[in-house]
């Protein structure tokens, strides 16, 4: 499972770099208003992805279940139809409401204007982003995680090259960053679709399984959106302790993200193997061990890593030290959750997550009034530990048997998938 997870980790890491770092680096010389605009716009885009995640996850799981057992082309066609509807439902309102949305999310008129300019292009390009995610989801369902990693690396390379061309060469400023990202994704999507056409079968029949796709993926999408909302609420709680504490939280989260993505890579790997009836080992144990390893690494690099972002790194370092109590149970919860998701227990996993949040938020208010900002960190650890305790992860170590070969007409034409 580790071999399957490693390409996913690289994919996730490079995708985050492309969205949240490369554009920021290139627009940094345009001033604080430009930096703020790109930060808000890319964060909003990340939130929008949570709305379409149910489609991507559902397709990955169901393609994995059917590959070699039943025709998957009708399922893929349903996925593309849902993509069309979902893209329109997110992108069109985003375009029409870009100016009031920008004013809502930014503090001053200059940043709001630049954010709306960025939204004009980025919102129009959301269908491309969603299409790339869906194409990668199909490939992962077929058991290949190296191709999505390759696609992410291609997109990153293109953004690095195209950003200065449009931001400075064409004099487009912030809009140039948006256009460069959309164009890079469009080129990557063309490469991806060509690869997918070779891998995916072309069985006869119409689209089917649309509701099954959504039902399978909705718990993951709801989990993502719930975590985003709780993150915003925690920012509000931490803000009561001053700018230094809030900055330390933000910096610490950015540093911690590089480690946390390893948990999500394990979750996807466990989900893919479970859907394909392949052995997973014990994702729970692997996730707990990964959480401990990430905690050790973050403790070791806390001071030099935080110093890269600020001269006053005490708050960020303290945050990273306390996160040891959070990362271990969180690693186990996320990694083992892939098995629950692929085996039809995603709603129970979501319920466990929400139960943890129901304890975490009031506990954060209570403990922070007694222990200061450290109480917020302890509440995060307590909520996650509770989620792990009640989550449906006890069967995570079961060994699943691989499916027997099905008739050639129902199998993919690509041969044994790589990246396994």
């Amino acid at each position: 499972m580790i071999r399957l997870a490693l390409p996913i980790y690289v994919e996730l890491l490079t995708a985050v770099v492309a969205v949240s770092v490369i554009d920021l680096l290139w627009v940094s010389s345009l001033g604080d208003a430009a930096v703020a605009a790109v930060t808000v716009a890319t964060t909003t885009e990340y939130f929008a992805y949570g709305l379409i995640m149910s489609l991507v996850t559902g397709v990955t799981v169901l393609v994995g279940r059917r590959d070699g057992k039943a025709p998957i082309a009708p399922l893929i066609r349903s996925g593309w139809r849902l993509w069309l509807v979902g893209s329109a439902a997110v992108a069109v309102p985003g375009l029409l409401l870009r100016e009031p949305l920008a004013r809502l999310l930014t503090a001053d008129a200059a940043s709001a204007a630049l954010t709306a300019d960025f939204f004009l292009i980025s919102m129009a390009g959301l269908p491309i982003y969603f299409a790339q995610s869906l194409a990668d989801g199909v490939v992962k369902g077929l058991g290949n995680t190296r191709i999505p990693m390759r696609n992410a690396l291609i997109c990153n390379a293109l953004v690095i090259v195209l950003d200065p061309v449009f931001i400075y060469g064409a004099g487009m400023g912030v809009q140039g960053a948006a256009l460069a990202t959309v164009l890079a994704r469009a080129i990557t999507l063309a490469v991806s679709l060509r690869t997918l056409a070779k891998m995916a079968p072309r069985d006869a029949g119409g689209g089917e399984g649309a509701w099954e796709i959504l039902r399978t993926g909705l718990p993951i999408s709801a989990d993502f959106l719930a975590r985003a909302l709780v993150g915003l609420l925690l920012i509000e709680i931490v803000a009561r302790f001053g700018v230094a504490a809030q900055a330390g939280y933000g910096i610490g989260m950015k540093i911690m993200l590089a480690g946390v993505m390893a948990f999500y890579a394990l979750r996807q790997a466990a989900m893919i193997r479970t859907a394909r009836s392949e052995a997973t080992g014990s994702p729970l144990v692997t996730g707990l061990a990964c959480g401990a390893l990430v905690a050790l690494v973050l403790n070791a690099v806390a001071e030099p890593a935080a110093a890269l972002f600020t001269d006053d790194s005490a708050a960020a370092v303290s945050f990273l030290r306390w996160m040891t109590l959070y990362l271990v149970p969180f690693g186990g919860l996320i990694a083992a959750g892939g098995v629950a998701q692929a085996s039809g227990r995603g709603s129970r996993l979501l319920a466990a997550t929400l139960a943890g949040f129901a304890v975490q938020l009031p506990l954060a208010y209570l403990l922070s009034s007694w222990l200061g900002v450290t109480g917020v960190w302890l509440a995060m650890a307590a909520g996650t530990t509770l989620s792990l305790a009640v989550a449906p992860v006890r069967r995570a170590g079961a060994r699943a048997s691989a499916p027997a070969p099905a008739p050639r007409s129902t199998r993919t034409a690509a041969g044994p998938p790589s990246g396994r």
Side-chain angles (χ1 to χ4, degrees):
M1 195 175 76
I2 298 297
R3 285 189 299 172
L4 192 69
L6 282 174
I8 299 174
Y9 178 71
V10 175
E11 175 204 351
L12 294 174
L13 189 64
T14 53
V16 170
V17 169
V19 171
S20 63
V21 176
I22 297 175
D23 284 348
L24 283 176
L25 288 174
W26 280 116
V27 303
S28 60
S29 62
L30 299 179
D32 290 343
V35 172
V38 173
T39 299
V40 169
T42 52
T43 301
T44 305
E45 182 182 78
Y46 188 61
F47 186 82
Y49 175 71
L51 300 175
I52 207 76
M53 186 181 290
S54 57
L55 166 60
V56 177
T57 303
V59 166
T60 298
V61 171
L62 295 178
V63 167
R65 287 180 188 171
R66 294 189 183 190
D67 186 31
K69 298 178 181 179
I72 63 173
L75 184 71
I76 296 173
R77 281 192 285 272
S78 288
W80 285 114
R81 289 168 184 167
L82 288 171
W83 161 79
L84 184 61
V85 174
S87 295
V90 176
V92 173
L95 275 172
L96 296 178
L97 300 174
R98 64 185 183 277
E99 292 184 356
L101 181 62
R103 289 194 295 269
L104 176 66
L105 297 174
T106 52
D108 61 272
S111 294
L114 291 175
T115 302
D117 289 343
F118 194 101
F119 278 154
L120 178 63
I121 296 175
S122 66
M123 290 293 180
L126 279 180
I128 297 173
Y129 179 35
F130 294 164
Q132 180 62 59
S133 300
L134 179 57
D136 287 343
V138 173
V139 173
K140 289 177 182 178
L142 295 172
N144 190 310
T145 58
R146 293 179 182 173
I147 288 175
M149 176 186 70
R150 179 207 66 183
N151 294 338
L153 292 172
I154 290 173
C155 188
N156 269 261
L158 288 170
V159 172
I160 291 172
V161 172
L162 293 175
D163 258 353
V165 172
F166 289 102
I167 295 172
Y168 302 106
M172 295 180 64
V174 166
Q175 283 193 319
L179 182 59
T181 300
V182 171
L183 183 58
R185 287 172 174 166
I187 295 171
T188 304
L189 177 61
V191 174
S192 181
L193 291 177
R194 182 176 180 182
T195 302
L196 183 60
K198 296 177 181 178
M199 294 183 64
R202 299 181 179 86
D203 345 349
E208 61 182 42
W211 170 241
E212 190 179 3
I213 291 172
L214 294 177
R215 184 180 61 187
T216 302
L218 275 173
I220 285 290
S221 185
D223 181 279
F224 177 93
L225 294 174
R227 291 189 185 281
L229 177 59
V230 170
L232 292 175
L233 294 175
L234 286 180
I235 290 176
E236 180 184 353
I237 297 174
V238 173
R240 297 186 303 161
F241 298 95
V243 175
Q246 190 174 24
Y249 174 66
I251 292 169
M253 286 295 292
K254 284 184 178 296
I255 296 170
M256 192 172 72
L257 187 61
V260 166
M261 281 188 289
F263 309 157
Y264 286 96
L266 288 172
R267 182 177 72 175
Q268 287 195 35
M271 184 178 69
I272 293 167
R273 282 199 173 275
T274 301
R276 297 179 62 81
S277 298
E278 297 172 349
T280 62
S282 178
L284 174 59
V285 173
T286 304
L288 292 172
C290 186
L293 178 61
V294 170
L296 286 173
V297 172
L298 289 179
N299 270 273
V301 305
E303 293 187 9
L308 295 174
F309 294 88
T310 177
D311 293 332
D312 184 10
S313 61
V317 171
S318 176
F319 169 82
L320 292 171
R321 302 274 196 241
W322 280 107
M323 282 301 99
T324 299
L325 300 176
Y326 167 80
L327 287 168
V328 176
F330 188 60
L333 176 68
I334 297 301
V339 176
Q341 178 66 34
S343 58
R345 292 175 291 160
S347 58
R348 291 174 57 193
L349 181 66
L350 174 61
T353 298
L354 296 179
F357 289 153
V359 170
Q360 176 180 321
L361 288 174
L363 194 60
Y365 279 104
L366 179 64
L367 292 181
S368 63
S369 64
W370 178 33
L371 300 172
V373 73
T374 300
V376 180
W377 317 148
L378 292 176
M380 290 174 63
T384 302
T385 301
L386 174 64
S387 293
L388 178 61
V390 301
V393 299
R394 292 168 184 80
R395 292 168 50 198
R399 181 179 179 86
S401 58
R408 182 64 183 172
S409 61
T410 65
R411 301 176 67 190
T412 66
S418 60
R420 297 164 67 174

